[in-house]
Each structure stands twice: as structure tokens, then as C-alpha cells.
Amino acid sequence: MTIKYLFLVSKQAKIRLVKWYTTLSHKEKAQTMKEVSQLVLSRKPKQCNFIEHRDTKVVYRKYASLYFVAGIGLDDNELLTLEIIHRYVEVLDRFFGNVCELDLIFQFQKAYFILDEMIMAGELQESSKKIVLRAIAQQDETEAVENSERGWGNVNLEGVARTA
């Protein structure tokens, strides 16, 4: 099973996180995100969470005010994709402690780190929440050590562009 793309979109059609696992031009990516977002946001809550769009199957799930949307191949398993989305949300929830849209806006790099620990090249690499959270904790420790070596101490640099 290969995931072609995964993105998070708010009810106001704002893209909050995007990860592509296939090569497309910038124009094609923008067009796909726009079309898929419109399709997903226009659907009623009781409708099926699977849509066919061009050469992909779109699988989505709504959590609070965010839609988690994944594009997969036509022959791939939709239910497995829903489970991957749910697992990602569970890990985000554990890491942030009741995750909300603002967590993903202001600490987007952590959301990407978690996604990268779970999915690589469109394939699920790690399904264990404990292992993913342990890897993220190790990254945080490494970052804290590097910050202290630079003399930054316990400065909170979440969401701030850094140059070193």
C-alpha cells in the first residue's frame, strides 16, 4: 500500500500540513489540493469517507475542526489508510496532550517529525505509538543539548526560524 499524499485541511479550507510521496509539479500539487479539499469539505457528515479522484482514492477523516486527507492508489486498502490516519492522530494527541489546530500551526515541525517517524516514502514504517514517541523525545533531547551548547539554554524556539 502506497500513500501518494497526506494533508490536513481546516473547515475554512486552510491547509495546515502537507506531505507528498509522489513527484508532481507545483501546479499539479496545488490543483490537486484545491480540488480534493473542495470535494472533502463539500461532503455531508453521513457520507462515505472514500472518494475517487482522478487516478487516486481519497480517504479522509474529520477530527474536531480538521480533515486528515490521504490519497492512495485505486487498488489500496481504504480501511488500512483510515487506521494509519487514526494512529497518526493518536500519536499527535499523546504528544501534544489533546491536540488542537493551534498546536499544529505553532509547532508544525513536531507534526512533521511525527509523520516522518511513522510514514516513509508513502509506506507505514512504524505503527507503535511508544516507539514513535520515544524517537520524538530523543529528538527533543538532542535539540535541548544542541541549544545548550550554543548558549541558548532553555529558550523556547518553537516556530521560530533559526540559523546556526
Side-chain angles (χ1 to χ4, degrees):
M1 188 186 100
T2 302
I3 297 173
K4 296 181 179 187
Y5 56 83
L6 188 132
F7 63 87
L8 280 58
V9 62
S10 70
K11 286 192 280 187
Q12 294 79 27
K14 301 275 187 186
I15 301 292
R16 298 300 183 197
L17 178 140
V18 180
K19 187 73 173 189
W20 290 89
Y21 300 104
T22 57
T23 306
L24 295 173
S25 71
H26 180 71
K27 185 178 179 181
E28 289 173 315
K29 288 179 183 179
Q31 184 178 4
T32 299
M33 284 191 298
K34 181 180 177 185
E35 290 173 1
V36 170
S37 295
Q38 288 173 348
L39 281 172
V40 168
L41 292 172
S42 67
R43 293 178 63 88
K44 293 182 171 71
K46 298 282 184 184
Q47 287 183 300
C48 180
N49 289 17
F50 315 131
I51 308 168
E52 285 193 20
H53 177 261
R54 297 187 195 167
D55 62 337
T56 61
K57 227 182 292 186
V58 177
V59 179
Y60 70 94
R61 181 119 186 231
K62 182 182 179 199
Y63 290 93
S65 63
L66 284 176
Y67 289 88
F68 289 72
V69 182
I72 60 174
L74 293 174
D75 297 331
D76 290 333
N77 188 334
E78 306 93 350
L79 296 177
L80 181 59
T81 307
L82 276 177
E83 280 299 313
I84 292 170
I85 291 171
H86 185 69
R87 181 56 52 117
Y88 180 53
V89 172
E90 286 180 325
V91 174
L92 288 172
D93 203 45
R94 280 227 186 129
F95 181 78
F96 290 111
N98 200 11
V99 68
C100 67
E101 188 174 348
L102 288 175
D103 291 325
L104 299 175
I105 292 169
F106 292 113
Q107 297 186 43
F108 63 91
Q109 68 276 17
K110 298 293 183 191
Y112 278 109
F113 289 160
I114 292 169
L115 185 60
D116 291 341
E117 286 294 326
M118 292 181 65
I119 301 171
M120 182 183 293
E123 300 286 339
L124 181 66
Q125 295 300 309
E126 186 56 64
S127 62
S128 169
K129 290 182 268 189
K130 287 181 183 180
I131 292 174
V132 170
L133 290 169
R134 191 177 310 134
I136 299 303
Q138 288 172 346
Q139 283 180 330
D140 288 345
E141 288 174 25
T142 302
E143 185 177 10
V145 168
E146 288 176 359
N147 288 346
S148 66
E149 288 173 356
R150 292 180 180 141
W152 293 347
N154 291 330
V155 176
N156 183 3
L157 297 172
E158 296 299 325
V160 178
R162 293 174 273 178
T163 58

